[in-house]
Amino acid sequence: MKISAESLAKDILTLSRNSLMVNFRFLDRAISRLELVSDKNVSLATDGEKLYYGPKYVLIRYREEQSVMTRDMFHALLHCVFRHNFVGRDIDRRRWDLACDIAVENALNELESPALRTRRETLQGATVALLKNDMESLTAERIYKWLGDRGFSDEELEAERENFFADGHGIWYGAFDSNAKTDKNIDLKKIWEDVSKRMQTELETMHRESGALVQNLRALNRARYDYGEFLRRFGVQGEVMRLSDEEFDNNYYTYGLELYGNIPLVEPLEYTDRRRIRDFVIAIDTSGSVKGEVVQSFIQHTHDLMAARDSFFDRMNLHIIQCDDEVREDVRLTSKEEFDRYLGTMEIKGLGRTDFRPLFAYVDGLIHKKELNNLQGLLYFTDGKGEFPSQDPGYPTAFILNCGDDAELEVPVWAMHIALREEDILDRRL
């Protein structure tokens, strides 16, 4: 009786899954999340709901090295556990793919399990050693930034990835056909967030509190400041033309139109108050201690939050001001469309020392000249290391601190502040 390639491949993957269950009990919930699905058009890939495999690919890979499919399956699982597959629209795909693979492979190497031993470990040593020399923990976000800082070309990224490759990532970006895409009704991000938190708890309970796997889980699952909610506080009460469903009875309105032709019995209340951004300033510390990529990621993230929460007026008065020890640029934006265009052309200017006082003096001048008639708030993105004004400027002010811990930074009592880690700002999945 001839056994099909598909059947053999599924048997190999089932054997690999059983091996993981026996050797790594903390993987039980993660493994149970992924349904095995045969697809001759892929190598190995997961969208967080299914694990797709090409039968011939699995057979060839298994024949070359029997332990490799066990490691590859663990590799794909960790992408989901670390939520690597939930990516933003502006991610550099080649750089993100390599960063994720390095983070996962390093975690597997540090487990030092015979069940995961493969030849590719020896090929990864030099790159991993170089990264560990520059950073404390190898998370995908940190590696992604490291690769960007060093300006690797697409060709170099592709060549380096060969030593860390285990699965395809095209499905993360919607590259598969509709039959292979995730069910949009399933909140996969929440599911894998729960899986990773449980895994972290189990590993720490087992006293496995060191190693790259736990470090990645801790970095991913730590409490994050809700910058979106923080930004919402700067919304202003503004009149927005829309139908007020709470105060308008549509039955009376349509009955009047039917009875009298074009005369409604009740006029609709078209104005309701919503929290929106109108007169607003985003100040950016462009001193030498603040990095350009971090600044641009912060502005992009702020824009996305404002857009997602419908925080824009049709017409607004938004000033984005770059400043180190003096004002370097003031760009005035009056619509969402202008903000969109600005993101594509933004250039960092300054790189001197930090002094917050010139910015506040400049904004006071804009108010005096009536270029800001009703300033509702000022966000100042900075590392917090500079001279603050001695007095309350008289309008809501918040310092967004680009640092790991704001405990030692003395922000004035009249200002709000929130500390964001650099890797969180750079995390395109937020």
Side-chain angles (χ1 to χ4, degrees), residues 13-79:
L13 291 176
T14 300
L15 183 64
S16 298
R17 183 161 59 184
N18 292 340
S19 175
L20 292 177
M21 288 285 289
V22 170
N23 290 282
F24 309 100
R25 298 299 298 271
F26 57 85
L27 283 179
D28 59 347
R29 194 176 183 199
I31 290 175
S32 67
R33 285 301 319 165
L34 295 181
E35 175 191 352
L36 295 176
V37 176
S38 173
D39 188 329
K40 65 180 180 181
N41 297 315
V42 305
S43 53
L44 190 73
T46 181
D47 55 7
E49 184 183 4
K50 298 178 176 64
L51 183 66
Y52 300 95
Y53 65 92
K56 289 185 178 179
Y57 173 84
V58 171
L59 294 177
I60 293 171
R61 201 152 170 84
Y62 181 77
R63 183 175 59 191
E64 292 174 348
E65 196 172 6
Q66 291 190 4
S67 61
V68 76
M69 289 314 304
T70 301
R71 185 182 178 103
D72 286 358
M73 181 176 282
F74 201 163
H75 177 114
L77 277 171
L78 284 187
H79 280 318

Side-chain angles (χ1 to χ4, degrees), residues 177-363:
D177 61 46
S178 58
N179 293 324
K181 288 183 179 178
T182 303
D183 184 344
K184 301 303 180 184
N185 295 321
I186 299 176
D187 190 352
L188 284 176
K189 192 170 185 179
K190 180 64 170 63
I191 289 171
W192 284 105
E193 181 180 342
D194 293 342
V195 169
S196 66
K197 287 180 178 178
R198 175 177 168 179
M199 184 181 295
Q200 180 186 342
T201 300
E202 290 180 0
L203 286 168
E204 291 175 340
T205 303
M206 296 162 57
H207 305 291
R208 300 177 69 166
E209 299 186 8
S210 61
L213 179 55
V214 175
Q215 287 176 351
N216 270 268
L217 290 171
R218 282 176 173 166
L220 187 64
N221 295 327
R222 68 171 177 265
R224 295 174 183 259
Y225 291 106
D226 189 345
Y227 175 56
E229 178 60 24
F230 187 85
L231 183 62
R232 189 191 65 80
R233 300 182 194 182
F234 284 84
V236 299
Q237 289 294 337
E239 227 178 24
V240 184
M241 290 188 65
R242 63 183 291 273
L243 187 65
S244 175
D245 297 325
E246 296 177 357
E247 302 181 53
F248 172 57
D249 188 335
N250 191 62
N251 292 327
Y252 283 108
Y253 184 76
T254 54
Y255 177 68
L257 293 177
E258 293 175 1
L259 188 63
Y260 299 111
N262 61 352
I263 303 174
L265 286 179
V266 182
E267 280 292 337
L269 300 175
E270 293 181 338
Y271 297 93
T272 60
D273 281 346
R274 299 184 65 184
R275 299 187 68 80
R276 297 291 188 95
I277 305 300
R278 183 169 277 166
D279 282 13
F280 203 67
V281 172
I282 299 177
I284 306 167
D285 176 1
T286 56
S287 62
S289 58
V290 180
K291 300 170 184 175
E293 184 180 6
V294 178
V295 169
Q296 290 175 324
S297 292
F298 168 75
I299 294 296
Q300 177 72 60
H301 188 38
T302 302
H303 168 276
D304 292 346
L305 282 170
M306 293 168 72
R309 291 173 178 264
D310 195 23
S311 297
F312 292 100
F313 279 111
D314 290 334
R315 304 299 295 176
M316 62 182 177
N317 187 25
L318 171 64
H319 287 254
I320 298 182
I321 303 173
Q322 297 191 37
C323 183
D324 44 24
D325 55 352
E326 62 181 274
V327 173
R328 301 293 181 175
E329 180 183 74
D330 178 8
V331 176
R332 179 173 177 264
L333 306 172
T334 62
S335 68
K336 180 181 181 300
E337 290 71 28
E338 287 184 6
F339 201 163
D340 292 341
R341 288 194 294 271
Y342 173 75
L343 288 171
T345 59
M346 180 183 178
E347 294 182 3
I348 304 302
K349 300 177 181 179
L351 305 180
R353 66 184 184 87
T354 304
D355 189 339
F356 304 120
R357 295 169 297 180
L359 182 280
F360 285 92
Y362 179 79
V363 171

Side-chain angles (χ1 to χ4, degrees), residues 72-233:
D72 286 358
M73 181 176 282
F74 201 163
H75 177 114
L77 277 171
L78 284 187
H79 280 318
C80 299
V81 171
F82 294 158
R83 275 108 79 191
H84 291 161
N85 50 320
F86 303 105
V87 294
R89 62 182 180 180
D90 298 317
I91 202 94
D92 182 327
R93 294 186 182 185
R94 284 187 175 86
R95 184 152 49 109
W96 183 245
D97 286 344
L98 175 57
C100 293
D101 283 343
I102 292 175
V104 165
E105 286 292 300
N106 178 60
L108 296 178
N109 292 341
E110 291 194 7
L111 289 173
E112 297 182 340
S113 169
L116 303 176
R117 202 77 23 93
T118 58
R119 291 191 293 269
R120 68 175 181 255
E121 284 184 61
T122 59
L123 303 175
Q124 299 168 358
T127 300
V128 170
L130 187 62
L131 285 161
K132 287 184 175 180
N133 188 56
D134 285 355
M135 63 187 74
E136 184 178 346
S137 60
L138 270 58
T139 64
E141 293 75 29
R142 289 176 180 269
I143 299 168
Y144 178 85
K145 179 180 179 300
W146 186 89
L147 293 169
D149 288 345
R150 279 150 187 77
F152 282 77
S153 67
D154 288 347
E155 292 74 17
E156 289 171 325
L157 293 172
E158 290 287 354
E160 186 63 38
R161 193 181 174 211
E162 290 181 9
N163 297 330
F164 295 87
F165 180 85
D167 63 338
H169 301 168
I171 196 170
W172 299 357
Y173 314 102
F176 281 13
D177 61 46
S178 58
N179 293 324
K181 288 183 179 178
T182 303
D183 184 344
K184 301 303 180 184
N185 295 321
I186 299 176
D187 190 352
L188 284 176
K189 192 170 185 179
K190 180 64 170 63
I191 289 171
W192 284 105
E193 181 180 342
D194 293 342
V195 169
S196 66
K197 287 180 178 178
R198 175 177 168 179
M199 184 181 295
Q200 180 186 342
T201 300
E202 290 180 0
L203 286 168
E204 291 175 340
T205 303
M206 296 162 57
H207 305 291
R208 300 177 69 166
E209 299 186 8
S210 61
L213 179 55
V214 175
Q215 287 176 351
N216 270 268
L217 290 171
R218 282 176 173 166
L220 187 64
N221 295 327
R222 68 171 177 265
R224 295 174 183 259
Y225 291 106
D226 189 345
Y227 175 56
E229 178 60 24
F230 187 85
L231 183 62
R232 189 191 65 80
R233 300 182 194 182

Side-chain angles (χ1 to χ4, degrees), residues 230 233-234 356 359-360 377-382 384 387-401 406 409-419:
F230 187 85
R233 300 182 194 182
F234 284 84
F356 304 120
L359 182 280
F360 285 92
L378 183 151
L379 287 178
Y380 207 134
F381 180 70
T382 175
E387 293 290 330
F388 293 95
S390 58
Q391 296 183 350
D392 185 340
Y395 43 79
T397 302
F399 288 93
I400 314 302
L401 302 171
D406 66 335
L409 297 174
E410 296 182 0
V411 176
V413 295
W414 44 261
M416 300 174 66
H417 67 280
I418 183 172

